[in-house]
Amino acid sequence: MDSAPVNALSAGVRTGLEERLKEALADTSVQGIVVTGAHGAFCAGADISEFASGMAGPPLPMVIAGLEGSTKPVVAAIDGVTLGGGCEVALGCHYRVASNRSVVGLPEVNLGLLPGAGGTQRLPRLIGTEPSIDFMCMGVPAPATKAASLGIFDSVVDGDSAAIVKTAVEFAAEKAGQDFSSRRLNSRTAQAVPAEVIKAKRAQYATHRKGEIAPQSIITCIEAASDRPFDGGMLVEGKEFSKLFMGDQSRALQYMFFAERQCAKVPGLTAKPIPLNAVGIIGAGLMGGGIAMCCAEAGMNVTLLDIDQANLDRGMGVIRKHYARSVSRKSKTQTQVDKYLQLIQPATEYSALSQCDMVVEAVFENMALKKKIFATLDQVCKPGCILASNTSRLDIDEIASATKRPQDVIGCHFFSPANVMRLLENVRGRQTSASTIATAMAFGQKIKKVTCLVGNCNGFIANRVMGVSGSGELLQGGIMPHQVDEASEAYGMRMGPFRMLDLVGLDLFGRERANSGIADPEKIVTDAMYAAKRFGQKSGKGFYQYNEKLQCTRDPDAEALIKATWSKAGVAMKQTKQEEIIDRLYLPVINEGFKCLEEGIASRPSDIDVCCVFGYNWPRYRGGPMQWATAVGLPVVLEKLEAMGQKPSELLKECVKNNWSLRSKAFTKKVEAAW
């Protein structure tokens, strides 16, 4: 298979496999057949762009059936990635020889699909029912040694692609003339497991992949491999695949696959990034420490600066404790941790940043303080050093005005905890140079973040659009917190808005409102919670009550306080359907997304979706708010917003008026002009 870069199973590759197999079978001098891939990969699976454009050429199941039915032994010579359809091709071969650097997987579940070319039928017949469920439903590729221990690979050897092919040729020659009929997986039956095991696996993946339907379809197919012949199992696989392929979840997950990759591409950007070897971080709190860990793990020299020695010592201690936990959990080795810690050098003097290629300020949200810091950086940092602020909402242009080099200033908005959350919003200012943008984007990729360039406004993209969610309005309108949370979590959010407020701490917002004199604990529920010292998990009580394990239950005292506050505000408790709650929560988010597009804050709708999925854990299988808008229908979104009393975005109204979709040329042209 030779189709750069990873030999995706396009129509041309499938046709080539079919034709070369026919030639090999017809050639009496050929005693055995070896299937391999070029470019350091066996095959990374289907060419999923064909899902949209339409399939041509021989279907992959027929190609694989041809390999499996070969009267001459077929050996897969595997080096590098072997994923999805590539793994299914390997399973259709009679033997599998792999290099020790190979990885193999059936990750279709991550696209809302299942292996549709016999993978759900052949793998259980090879390694067993229960291991196959985990292999497919986890969707995580296995390294060669693990694959061999499962029984997927017959042999794992050292060497490069040429060495693997040589070994496979020798293997095929050895098997020539022998009876290998038992190696045809379609002739086997997977061993049945007790019904309780299947039930437990269904429950496991209903939790692990909450809301996703593909894992349950996969389990249904694997069950079929143990209770009927291969052809019958293939019928089940085909039926389940078609059901998933036509569904909203697979469309959304495939959309997110491309959106995540497109996000890193800045329209019109041709500038090259500067090298990043040394990075400074200002502020040794949780955010600064998390950013420092990200940079050290990417191999950069890190200077962690805090002018308060006690804060610096505390911050370094938190980093060491975090890494100690990683070692105890075996997610990192002590050798790795020692290397990372050596790369992080603490400092209390700004002069320590003089040779940094980039400096990221990560102090608390105070404009005066940030401007003071940037004025100092302007004096001590070398020319061309990127000066970045981790602000979550403040004006990048105002921060840049404290320097004589606004072209070098950019926002780098990490999400907390920075060493865990994958999103990085890079915020361009009016004078931010193309080189600075290119470098900030390269920085995000280097530290393995999903990196998105956004415009400068209050909250940028993720915080801005999610900030208009209707949870507060619902609460003040007579809907109990648990009803809102149940609807939110039924939609697919990992945590409802009020459980999230309890986690973050009601005191953070309540104190600010109280100190500014705008709090009204008589009539505003959140202010009443703060006044009653119900701060959330940290105090053991908030909208819910918490035990010592931080497990939450409804709290009669909290609900009595809410009802009393409603009474003083003239509000009666209401019962509302989940669908209406979801609309009131998240249709305003869609509307704000359209406003971001019309104001040039986002360069494309998919960037908004990426920011919400990776910054706020919006359910990936919904595709983010803009993809959800497409699924609901823009006219329906507009009608519901108007019925709710929301002022619709002018861009949304224009889309409905002109019958534009979010993929139409006219819409794209409009958004590009705003950007």
Side-chain angles (χ1 to χ4, degrees):
M1 293 175 284
D2 186 351
S3 180
V6 289
N7 309 318
L9 287 161
S10 62
V13 172
R14 298 195 306 276
T15 300
L17 273 173
E18 186 177 62
E19 291 178 351
R20 298 295 88 74
L21 176 64
K22 289 178 181 176
E23 291 171 3
L25 291 174
D27 189 338
T28 56
S29 67
V30 173
Q31 300 299 304
I33 300 165
V34 172
V35 179
T36 193
H39 316 293
F42 183 75
C43 174
D47 180 356
I48 67 171
S49 65
E50 289 188 350
F51 290 176
S53 62
M55 304 291 282
L60 184 58
M62 289 180 59
V63 174
I64 294 172
L67 291 169
E68 190 168 49
S70 168
T71 54
K72 300 175 182 179
V74 181
V75 181
I78 296 167
D79 183 41
V81 293
T82 306
L83 303 176
C87 178
E88 291 177 293
V89 168
L91 291 172
C93 298
H94 307 127
Y95 304 94
R96 288 158 290 281
V97 176
S99 68
N100 54 17
R101 66 184 180 186
S102 296
V103 291
V104 62
L106 290 168
E108 286 87 347
V109 68
N110 298 320
L111 294 176
L113 296 171
L114 54 79
T120 68
Q121 299 306 299
R122 289 188 175 88
L123 190 66
R125 289 169 163 81
L126 179 65
I127 69 172
T129 298
E130 201 170 349
S132 294
I133 291 174
D134 292 332
F135 191 80
M136 292 184 225
C137 290
M138 289 298 290
V140 179
T145 51
K146 174 68 173 176
S149 69
L150 286 170
I152 298 173
F153 293 157
D154 296 293
S155 177
V156 175
V157 297
D158 295 330
D160 58 13
S161 296
I164 305 309
V165 170
K166 181 175 182 294
T167 301
V169 168
E170 293 169 352
F171 202 97
E174 178 187 326
K175 301 299 179 182
Q178 296 183 14
D179 180 10
F180 55 86
S181 58
S182 64
R183 301 292 302 186
R184 295 189 179 102
L185 298 178
N186 64 2
S187 67
R188 302 182 186 181
T189 301
Q191 185 174 0
V193 297
E196 310 86 72
V197 172
I198 298 295
K199 184 178 179 180
K201 284 297 176 185
R202 287 192 181 277
Q204 176 185 339
Y205 287 102
T207 300
H208 181 69
R209 288 186 172 272
K210 187 177 179 181
E212 297 182 33
I213 59 176
Q216 302 303 320
S217 288
I218 288 170
I219 294 171
T220 295
C221 293
I222 292 173
E223 273 191 287
S226 66
D227 67 13
R228 67 197 71 191
F230 182 83
D231 288 346
M234 286 296 290
L235 290 175
V236 174
E237 181 183 276
K239 178 182 176 182
E240 293 294 322
F241 182 88
S242 296
K243 181 174 70 176
L244 294 175
F245 186 74
M246 299 301 292
D248 286 341
Q249 285 198 8
S250 68
R251 277 195 288 268
L253 286 164
Q254 289 165 48
Y255 164 84
M256 282 306 302
F257 176 86
F258 289 111
E260 182 181 342
R261 285 149 183 80
Q262 189 177 33
C263 191
K265 301 172 183 176
V266 178
L269 183 67
T270 58
K272 301 299 181 185
I274 66 170
L276 291 175
N277 300 309
V279 176
I281 312 294
I282 301 174
L286 289 176
M287 184 62 79
I291 298 170
M293 287 188 281
C294 291
C295 294
E297 289 169 27
M300 289 181 273
N301 293 302
V302 181
T303 301
L304 181 60
L305 183 143
D306 199 303
I307 59 173
D308 186 313
Q309 185 67 56
N311 285 344
L312 185 61
D313 292 342
R314 189 180 306 114
M316 289 300 298
V318 169
I319 291 172
R320 292 188 188 96
K321 286 179 182 177
H322 175 88
Y323 278 138
R325 285 196 298 270
S326 296
V327 172
S328 67
R329 294 170 181 167
K330 297 183 179 179
S331 60
K332 292 181 175 67
T333 67
Q334 187 62 53
T335 300
Q336 286 176 313
V337 164
D338 291 343
K339 178 184 176 183
Y340 300 152
L341 288 171
Q342 287 174 1
L343 289 170
I344 303 174
Q345 294 301 313
T348 57
E349 300 291 335
Y350 275 88
S351 57
L353 305 176
S354 63
Q355 295 306 306
C356 288
D357 303 309
M358 181 175 185
V359 175
V360 181
E361 163 272 309
V363 302
F364 59 89
E365 294 286 70
N366 180 284
M367 180 60 83
L369 176 60
K370 289 180 186 287
K371 290 175 74 171
K372 180 181 178 182
I373 289 171
F374 272 74
T376 303
L377 293 176
D378 197 28
Q379 298 297 316
V380 303
C381 291
K382 67 183 182 181
C385 174
I386 306 300
L387 306 182
S389 174
N390 178 51
T391 179
S392 61
R393 61 181 179 84
L394 297 179
D395 186 346
I396 293 298
D397 291 323
E398 186 174 348
I399 293 171
S401 72
T403 76
K404 295 184 178 69
R405 49 169 108 176
Q407 73 278 1
D408 296 335
V409 177
I410 194 166
C412 285
H413 176 212
F414 288 81
F415 287 70
S416 185
N419 55 306
V420 175
M421 295 297 286
R422 292 186 60 197
L423 180 65
L424 173 62
E425 287 180 331
N426 284 332
V427 189
R428 64 177 186 177
R430 279 195 304 270
Q431 299 183 66
T432 306
S433 72
S435 174
T436 297
I437 291 172
T439 303
M441 297 302 290
F443 170 67
Q445 291 180 319
K446 187 167 186 174
I447 61 175
K448 298 180 180 178
K449 297 297 183 186
V450 177
T451 309
C452 184
L453 184 67
V454 304
N456 182 25
C457 66
N458 187 6
F460 315 131
I461 289 183
N463 285 350
R464 173 178 168 175
V465 301
M466 293 302 294
V468 302
S469 168
S471 56
E473 184 180 322
L474 285 163
L475 178 63
Q476 283 301 122
I479 309 299
M480 276 291 179
H482 71 273
Q483 293 176 286
V484 178
D485 286 345
E486 286 168 3
S488 173
E489 290 165 21
Y491 177 79
M493 295 294 186
R494 293 185 186 176
M495 186 177 289
F498 296 108
R499 287 213 297 138
M500 178 61 75
L501 277 174
D502 272 1
L503 173 65
V504 172
L506 286 157
D507 55 322
L508 297 180
F509 308 97
R511 186 182 300 111
E512 184 178 340
R513 286 177 56 82
N515 291 342
S516 63
I518 61 173
D520 184 359
E522 291 293 306
K523 296 181 179 179
I524 304 298
V525 173
T526 51
D527 293 337
M529 288 283 174
Y530 175 73
K533 294 182 168 51
R534 301 187 69 93
F535 301 152
Q537 288 188 8
K538 63 181 69 175
S539 64
K541 56 184 182 178
F543 289 107
Y544 301 90
Q545 59 186 347
Y546 296 85
N547 61 20
E548 64 280 356
K549 294 182 180 179
L550 298 181
Q551 296 168 322
C552 75
T553 54
R554 288 174 59 180
D555 187 343
D557 291 341
E559 294 184 11
L561 177 60
I562 292 168
K563 290 176 182 177
T565 308
W566 283 343
S567 178
K568 293 172 187 174
V571 174
M573 186 168 71
K574 298 182 179 68
Q575 294 296 325
T576 305
K577 293 180 180 179
Q578 278 197 351
E579 181 183 358
E580 183 179 343
I581 293 174
I582 291 167
D583 284 347
R584 292 171 70 86
L585 278 172
Y586 301 128
L587 290 182
V589 175
I590 293 173
N591 196 39
E592 200 68 21
F594 274 97
K595 291 179 183 179
C596 285
L597 291 166
E598 69 186 29
E599 295 170 18
I601 302 302
S603 67
R604 51 180 81 95
S606 59
D607 284 1
I608 297 169
D609 290 333
V610 166
C611 288
C612 290
V613 167
F614 291 100
Y616 273 84
N617 289 316
W618 189 286
R620 189 180 177 93
Y621 63 81
R622 299 279 186 185
M626 306 309 286
Q627 173 65 14
W628 183 49
T630 295
V632 171
L634 299 189
V636 174
V637 171
L638 177 61
E639 181 183 351
K640 286 187 173 183
L641 283 169
E642 290 176 332
M644 289 162 51
Q646 293 272 334
K647 183 180 179 181
S649 154
E650 291 301 319
L651 181 58
L652 172 58
K653 290 195 292 186
E654 191 172 2
C655 286
V656 174
K657 178 182 176 182
N658 296 318
N659 197 28
W660 292 347
S661 76
L662 299 192
R663 294 176 178 82
S664 68
K665 290 182 179 179
F667 174 81
T668 302
K669 185 177 180 180
K670 182 89 174 180
V671 170
E672 287 174 349
W675 175 256

